[in-house]
Amino acid sequence: MRSKANSKRVLVVACGALAHEIRAICEMSGLDHLDLHCLPAILHNRPDRIAPAVDDCLRERAGAYDSAFVAYADCGTGGALAEVCARHGVEMIRGPHCYAFFDGQERFAARDETTAFYVTDFLARQFDAFVTRPLGLDRHPELRDMYFGNYETLVLLAQTDDPDLTARARAAAERLGLKFERRWTGYGELTPILSAL
C-alpha cells in the first residue's frame, strides 16, 4: 500500500546489473512508489544497444506513470542514452558508469586508476557469464593477456559484506593474473539518488 506522501508512481528503468541493489534500497527505505523495470545486464557487452532498449521501454510505458527515471549512467553509450532521456524528459544517473556512482563520482574521478579492472557484487557473482565466456577465455585462455595485459589490479567495489562474492572476485583476479583489492562502497550514491525520486 502506498502512503499519501508517496502516492505518485515512478517508473525506474534500470540496468539488470542493479536489480538486487535497487530492490534492497527500496525495501529498506520504504520506496514502494517506485516500479522497477530492468533491462538485461548483458546489454553492457553491446553498449550501442542500451539507448535503443531504454527508448523502447520508455515509449511502451509512456503515460502509465507520473514520472520516470533511468537508473543507468552513460555506460559506454557515448551520450546516446542522455539524448534518449532528454527526448523523453526524464533524468538519469550522472557519470560514466556504475563503478563511479557506487564509489562516489568525485572519489572515483580523483583516483584516475587506468590500470584497475572494476567489479561490483553483480559482476563478481556473474563473472563467467559476463566476462569469461563472452570473451572466449574459457576456450582460449591465451587471449587473457590481449584483453587484460594493461591491467594490474582487479578491484571489487563491494556493495555487501559477502565473503562468497569476495572469494569469487579474488579467484577471478587470480585467473586473470591480477592483484586483488576489495573496497567497501555499500550502495554509494545510488541510495540518495533513488530516495530523491
Side-chain angles (χ1 to χ4, degrees), residues 131-153:
V131 179
T132 306
R133 289 193 295 274
L135 294 179
L137 295 173
D138 54 333
R139 299 176 308 282
H140 301 284
E142 68 276 10
L143 294 174
R144 180 191 72 181
D145 291 342
M146 185 175 77
Y147 291 129
F148 295 95
N150 292 322
Y151 291 108
E152 296 175 1
T153 308

Side-chain angles (χ1 to χ4, degrees), residues 1-2 13-14 26 41 47 58-59 69 77 101 103 106 108-109 113 134 147 151 163 170 179-180 191:
M1 174 181 270
R2 290 183 172 82
V13 180
C26 287
L58 290 171
R59 274 191 293 102
F69 181 79
T77 70
F101 67 72
D103 197 24
E106 291 179 13
F108 186 87
E113 297 174 311
Y147 291 129
Y151 291 108
R170 186 183 304 277
K179 294 179 283 188
F180 175 71
T191 300

Side-chain angles (χ1 to χ4, degrees), residues 45-59:
N45 287 9
R46 293 291 306 272
D48 58 307
R49 296 181 180 175
I50 294 173
V54 171
D55 187 40
D56 288 345
C57 182
L58 290 171
R59 274 191 293 102

Side-chain angles (χ1 to χ4, degrees), residues 18 73 93-94 97-105 187-190:
L18 300 176
I93 299 175
R94 71 177 182 87
H97 39 62
C98 64
Y99 310 123
F101 67 72
F102 277 137
D103 197 24
Q105 301 280 358
Y187 300 129
E189 295 173 358
L190 190 56

Side-chain angles (χ1 to χ4, degrees), residues 20-21 98-99 101-103 107 111 118-125 154-167 169 180-188:
H20 179 80
E21 289 75 15
C98 64
Y99 310 123
F101 67 72
F102 277 137
D103 197 24
R107 185 169 41 248
R111 285 197 173 112
Y118 296 99
V119 175
T120 61
D121 283 5
F122 173 85
L123 199 52
R125 189 180 299 112
L154 184 147
V155 178
L156 171 62
L157 300 175
Q159 286 75 69
T160 58
D161 190 15
D162 186 331
D164 178 60
L165 292 181
T166 300
F180 175 71
E181 182 181 341
R182 179 186 183 275
R183 292 182 193 155
W184 165 256
T185 65
Y187 300 129

Side-chain angles (χ1 to χ4, degrees), residues 1-79:
M1 174 181 270
R2 290 183 172 82
S3 68
K4 289 186 179 180
N6 287 333
S7 60
K8 293 191 175 186
R9 294 177 66 216
V10 178
L11 170 66
V12 176
V13 180
C15 172
L18 300 176
H20 179 80
E21 289 75 15
I22 291 174
R23 286 188 184 108
I25 291 167
C26 287
E27 186 175 316
M28 71 182 174
S29 301
L31 302 176
D32 60 353
H33 62 293
L34 303 183
D35 289 343
L36 178 62
H37 179 83
C38 289
L39 298 174
I42 199 71
L43 288 173
H44 280 287
N45 287 9
R46 293 291 306 272
D48 58 307
R49 296 181 180 175
I50 294 173
V54 171
D55 187 40
D56 288 345
C57 182
L58 290 171
R59 274 191 293 102
E60 289 166 7
R61 289 159 180 79
Y65 291 88
D66 296 294
S67 63
F69 181 79
V70 173
Y72 277 90
D74 182 73
C75 299
T77 70

